[in-house]
Amino acid sequence: MLKKILIANRGEIAVRIIRACRELDIKSVAVYSDADRKSLHTRLADESYNIGEPASSQSYLNKTKIIDLAKKLKVDAIHPGYGFFSENSEFIKLCEDEKITFIGPSSKSVAMMGSKTAGRHLMEKSGVPIVPGTTKPIDSLNEGIKSAEKIGFPVLLKASAGGGGKGMRRISSKSEFEDAFEATKRVALKAFGDDSIYIEKFIENPKHIEVQIIGDMHGNYAHLFERECSVQRRHQKIIEEAPSSFVDETTRAEITSAAVNAAKACGYYNAGTIEFLMDANKDFYFLEMNTRLQVEHPVTELISGIDLVKEQISIASGNKLSFGQDDLKINGHAMESRIYAEDADNNFLPSTGIIYEYKPPTGPGVRVDDGFSAGSEISVYYDPLIAKLVCWSDNRTNAIKRMKRALDEYKIAGITTNISFLKSVYNNNNFINGKFDINFLEKESGALHKFLEKENNKVNLENAAAIFTAMVKENSAVRKGNENANNSKPENKWIDLMYE
Amino acid sequence: MSDFVVTLNDKKKTVSFSNNSHLSLDNQKYECDLILLNAHTYLLKINERFFEVSVDKTGNGKYSLLIDGHQYETVIRSALQEKVSELLRQKSTAHKKTEVKAPMPGMILKIKKSLNDKIVKGETILILEAMKMENDLRSPCSGVLSEIPVKEGSAVEKGAVLFTIE
């Protein structure tokens, strides 16, 4: 087994991995940029090292700094989390050359799947259904327009090296093509350092269904069922659940075996996710493969009972999968809400600032994976994800009720968050009845907004706010009186009793 | 004891105290208690219900509150101050200028409108790149784009004026 792991990431996922290391008696090493001194991962790890300026390129995305540190500290392995180096085959190759175990797949599998066009090509060959589109990157504007017309508008322009929906654009007619072509290339270059893009047919109103797979280095594979991640804004997921209420047993059998085939096709080991679009007829199309741990892995952990991070570490140590496909069954229902620092009223614009008070929910069936505490800063340099709130219950209806309860208890003061917005989704009838697809937020924005307005204009809360403000202003004596009380030590009656 | 006017969500509420624990809000009587928990948190009891309130004082009688997951920005003035500010406001609304400031530091990626363009509420004026995302900054009102002190490619700090609509 591995003895010391460097976690080349930050925020909630770094904390998640450190927790697994702790439970496995493995030493954890955290790295942090100047902007992350007050983040949670730095203080939970056994050792923490500053790796430079806030900009990712100077710190979390600096290959040399991280590899040099790993060598100097003689760590056995690097866990990349998600994002950053997790799907960077060059970085993985460096680890392989330096004989540092990379907790993830081989550089070869990542290179095969990392380019979305190569991945599509491989899937087509292995009999996994793909969305009609180009299997090669498009080089020129003219070639792009020609392909788009052949596939038929509307189409999607996507970055070959992309993921997580970044740099994706819908084009409904030829006239929009030129602007979108340039913009997508620009975003792709900036976000992924590679401006190659490709075209896909735009599937109307699909659901986003993905399958968690896992494999070891001995050729054993298993799937851990599907997740539904259709609630998205700007093509980024905000609510995920497992299982999907839309997928029946027959479809589940088909989609999970397609996913396992996809993993086999690229000689994959470690945890991975195959993403599909599913239309109203339950026909599904391969979207992309994520060769890493997903943000939303906790919902799968809660319904399967498998700790995916521990399993990743075990696989990277050369062990066989600790379970077989027949050991797994779906237990209950789990939902995840991504808690973002963003303003849902203002086009989901990210918000920044210092969290002055932080209190996550607790109680039965509630799990919070977070990366910050009171005093931490949400800076402009990174993704605005603060935490993931995950709730489990025996069925979907009860999981939703539990999620609503937990969101009510969640307290984050100092920055604008999407907590109220999430509540509006869990109160929406179409969401509750499972009638939603990836355009849910757009279609329901009116209804969601109405709910929020009503909530925010609750008379008893407004009254409380007004009374509070007046009392603080008028009655500063309250503050003084209590501060004095806090300073005087409470008497310990037990001591008196002992000497009686 | 004194009377206050509290403004929140564009509404005004009048609070008058009878004593430390009894007050009336818009002529409705309440019994209240305020208990300090820590530097930022209070418990407020109104009649039979407790509320946990987090507060950040921003100065000048302005407070930023979090109650039951809802954010409120409140402003408190004495009854007299309120009258004065009401008069001042009436004067200034004759010529209305709306400044839009950068909500976060970032880089101006693209400016989509030109000086003196007629703008409809909700139109995108410029794209601010921050937190690895392209953010459309839209006009909060209709009018004419009268000032745009930033250039494409320039870096801006949080709170910097990006454009003015008149």
Side-chain angles (χ1 to χ4, degrees):
Chain A
M1 201 68 164
L2 304 167
K3 289 198 179 69
K4 191 171 183 179
I5 296 176
L6 184 148
I7 295 122
N9 214 304
R10 61 180 297 282
E12 67 86 18
I13 196 61
V15 171
R16 167 72 186 93
I17 298 160
I18 292 166
R19 284 177 172 152
C21 290
R22 257 298 137 84
E23 293 177 18
L24 291 167
D25 293 319
I26 295 171
K27 288 258 178 284
S28 54
V29 177
V31 292
Y32 63 97
S33 74
D34 292 345
D36 267 332
R37 285 171 204 281
K38 292 180 183 173
S39 300
L40 210 51
H41 68 292
T42 58
R43 56 190 114 140
L44 291 182
D46 291 304
E47 299 167 28
S48 293
Y49 297 88
N50 181 301
I51 46 163
E53 286 170 36
S56 301
S57 57
Q58 305 297 310
S59 50
Y60 299 106
L61 278 176
N62 189 315
K63 291 191 186 84
T64 332
K65 266 186 196 166
I66 288 177
I67 295 279
D68 284 353
L69 183 64
K71 277 161 66 183
K72 199 179 112 198
L73 298 172
K74 298 193 168 64
V75 303
D76 304 306
I78 293 179
H79 196 308
Y82 52 71
F84 296 128
F85 287 135
S86 60
E87 296 182 278
N88 186 315
S89 56
E90 261 175 63
F91 180 82
I92 304 172
K93 188 80 190 16
L94 270 179
C95 291
E96 288 165 357
D97 293 346
E98 297 289 351
K99 303 265 178 296
I100 301 167
T101 302
F102 178 81
I103 302 178
S106 65
S107 60
K108 231 168 100 190
S109 314
V110 174
M112 276 165 95
M113 296 309 300
S115 156
K116 304 303 171 198
T117 45
R120 279 167 57 78
H121 192 65
L122 185 66
M123 289 304 111
E124 200 177 24
K125 254 177 39 189
S126 321
V128 179
I130 64 167
V131 180
T134 55
T135 42
K136 275 189 301 185
I138 37 171
D139 299 321
S140 72
L141 182 61
N142 272 340
E143 188 195 329
I145 291 175
K146 235 185 251 165
S147 303
E149 281 180 327
K150 206 174 124 200
I151 297 162
F153 287 103
V155 296
L156 269 183
L157 269 188
K158 301 171 86 173
S160 293
K166 265 180 194 145
M168 208 152 92
R169 226 165 267 248
R170 177 185 195 257
I171 309 169
S172 45
S173 70
K174 195 177 162 184
S175 61
E176 292 171 25
F177 200 92
E178 191 172 343
D179 277 359
F181 185 76
E182 277 165 29
T184 312
K185 267 187 168 317
R186 193 171 63 220
V187 173
L189 186 64
K190 199 156 276 168
F192 313 109
D194 176 357
D195 75 345
S196 58
I197 57 178
Y198 68 101
I199 306 176
E200 250 178 36
K201 169 92 184 136
F202 182 80
I203 310 262
E204 302 279 352
N205 301 328
K207 276 174 166 280
H208 177 116
I209 309 278
E210 59 186 33
V211 178
Q212 176 72 54
I213 57 97
I214 197 158
D216 61 23
M217 297 178 197
H218 311 279
N220 302 306
Y221 290 93
H223 69 81
L224 290 88
F225 314 105
E226 81 281 0
R227 292 185 285 258
E228 162 143 21
C229 318
S230 299
V231 182
Q232 307 184 352
R233 54 118 183 79
R234 303 170 154 202
H235 298 298
Q236 282 191 302
K237 303 160 188 169
I238 60 167
I239 292 174
E240 300 101 338
E241 60 185 295
S244 164
S245 59
F246 184 67
V247 173
D248 54 47
E249 277 307 326
T250 319
T251 314
R252 180 167 297 129
E254 284 169 13
I255 199 169
T256 51
S257 77
V260 171
N261 283 342
K264 283 180 181 165
C266 59
Y268 195 83
Y269 55 79
N270 219 282
T273 293
I274 324 284
E275 298 189 332
F276 297 94
L277 289 179
M278 192 178 279
D279 64 20
N281 302 321
K282 295 192 167 72
D283 287 329
F284 56 87
Y285 306 93
F286 172 80
L287 191 61
E288 59 184 46
M289 177 167 184
N290 293 316
T291 54
R292 54 168 161 88
L293 189 66
Q294 290 286 88
V295 177
E296 58 272 24
H297 74 276
V299 291
T300 298
E301 295 187 322
L302 293 185
I303 60 150
S304 68
I306 301 294
D307 186 317
L308 284 167
V309 178
K310 284 187 186 169
E311 205 62 32
Q312 278 192 303
I313 293 172
S314 168
I315 291 166
S317 312
N319 298 328
K320 286 186 178 167
L321 277 186
S322 72
F323 55 88
Q325 189 66 60
D326 295 342
D327 300 328
L328 300 178
K329 67 171 186 29
I330 297 175
N331 178 24
H333 199 97
M335 306 208 112
E336 173 179 284
S337 299
R338 297 195 190 185
I339 311 294
Y340 276 113
E342 66 182 17
D343 187 357
D345 279 344
N346 195 358
N347 202 20
F348 299 103
L349 209 61
S351 63
T352 56
I354 290 170
I355 300 172
Y356 67 76
E357 219 202 326
Y358 182 79
K359 205 176 75 185
T362 53
V366 175
R367 162 176 169 178
V368 178
D369 283 20
D370 51 11
F372 304 94
S373 70
S376 296
E377 184 176 358
I378 304 298
S379 65
V380 294
Y381 303 103
Y382 319 107
D383 189 271
L385 182 68
I386 303 169
K388 299 175 320 204
L389 168 58
V390 198
C391 292
W392 179 92
S393 196
D394 52 347
N395 61 45
R396 187 170 189 267
T397 309
N398 290 339
I400 291 175
K401 284 185 179 163
R402 183 161 276 167
M403 182 61 86
K404 278 157 61 171
R405 185 269 289 173
L407 284 167
D408 278 341
E409 285 179 23
Y410 216 133
K411 202 165 141 190
I412 303 174
I415 43 171
T416 306
T417 72
N418 64 341
I419 291 177
S420 304
F421 182 74
L422 289 164
K423 286 186 207 170
S424 74
V425 176
Y426 290 108
N427 279 287
N428 179 286
N429 277 333
N430 284 333
F431 178 79
I432 293 169
N433 297 327
K435 285 184 197 142
F436 59 100
D437 55 56
I438 62 168
N439 301 311
F440 171 78
L441 291 185
E442 238 167 71
K443 282 187 205 154
E444 293 289 324
S445 82
L448 298 174
H449 197 78
K450 224 184 233 166
F451 176 87
L452 281 173
E453 204 146 89
K454 214 174 93 201
E455 280 288 295
N456 225 25
N457 287 309
K458 270 189 180 166
V459 175
N460 69 332
L461 293 184
E462 286 184 342
N463 286 350
I467 289 174
F468 176 82
T469 308
M471 283 190 88
V472 166
K473 181 86 175 173
E474 170 75 9
N475 207 353
S476 57
V478 175
R479 177 183 277 265
K480 269 203 179 129
N482 274 287
E483 267 168 8
N484 290 340
N486 283 345
N487 288 339
S488 66
K489 259 195 184 153
E491 290 169 46
N492 188 337
K493 288 244 167 70
W494 291 108
I495 291 177
D496 297 340
L497 286 173
M498 261 162 61
Y499 293 105
E500 248 174 26
Chain B
M1 305 285 279
S2 37
D3 284 6
F4 293 104
V5 176
V6 180
T7 311
L8 78 157
N9 280 3
D10 296 323
K11 288 173 202 156
K12 289 187 191 303
K13 293 177 185 283
T14 308
V15 181
S16 32
F17 287 92
S18 313
N19 58 44
N20 271 343
S21 58
H22 291 82
L23 54 81
S24 61
L25 174 86
D26 296 339
N27 297 321
Q28 179 86 36
K29 284 194 164 75
Y30 296 97
E31 187 182 348
C32 303
D33 191 11
L34 190 61
I35 305 153
L36 184 76
L37 279 184
N38 62 41
H40 281 295
T41 316
Y42 290 83
L43 289 178
L44 171 66
K45 193 177 183 213
I46 303 176
N47 295 343
E48 70 296 330
R49 188 169 166 198
F50 272 102
F51 296 90
E52 204 176 292
V53 185
S54 299
V55 59
D56 199 19
K57 202 179 164 202
T58 49
N60 252 344
K62 285 183 185 167
Y63 297 84
S64 174
L65 311 180
L66 187 75
I67 306 178
D68 260 17
H70 293 275
Q71 260 179 311
Y72 294 98
E73 309 294 324
T74 61
V75 180
I76 186 161
R77 298 189 185 94
S78 69
L80 184 68
Q81 285 172 326
E82 178 63 24
K83 270 187 192 149
V84 174
S85 87
E86 194 62 42
L87 278 173
L88 285 174
R89 197 172 311 125
Q90 276 168 9
K91 269 191 178 168
S92 67
T93 43
H95 188 69
K96 206 179 160 208
K97 253 179 156 183
T98 309
E99 283 184 341
V100 172
K101 295 174 180 167
M104 68 200 109
M107 206 254 298
I108 306 296
L109 197 66
K110 203 165 178 75
I111 297 177
K112 296 197 140 181
K113 299 282 171 188
S114 320
L115 212 58
N116 298 323
D117 277 2
K118 265 199 177 159
I119 307 294
V120 180
K121 182 180 171 180
E123 269 190 292
T124 301
I125 308 296
L126 51 83
I127 301 175
L128 177 72
E129 190 190 76
M131 297 176 112
K132 290 162 105 190
M133 275 188 264
E134 293 188 6
N135 302 290
D136 285 2
L137 287 191
R138 298 159 191 231
S139 174
C141 55
S142 300
V144 171
L145 186 60
S146 65
E147 261 175 89
I148 180 147
V150 292
K151 280 198 281 262
E152 283 186 8
S154 61
V156 291
E157 286 300 316
K158 183 176 178 171
V161 175
L162 298 177
F163 57 88
T164 309
I165 306 285
E166 264 180 61

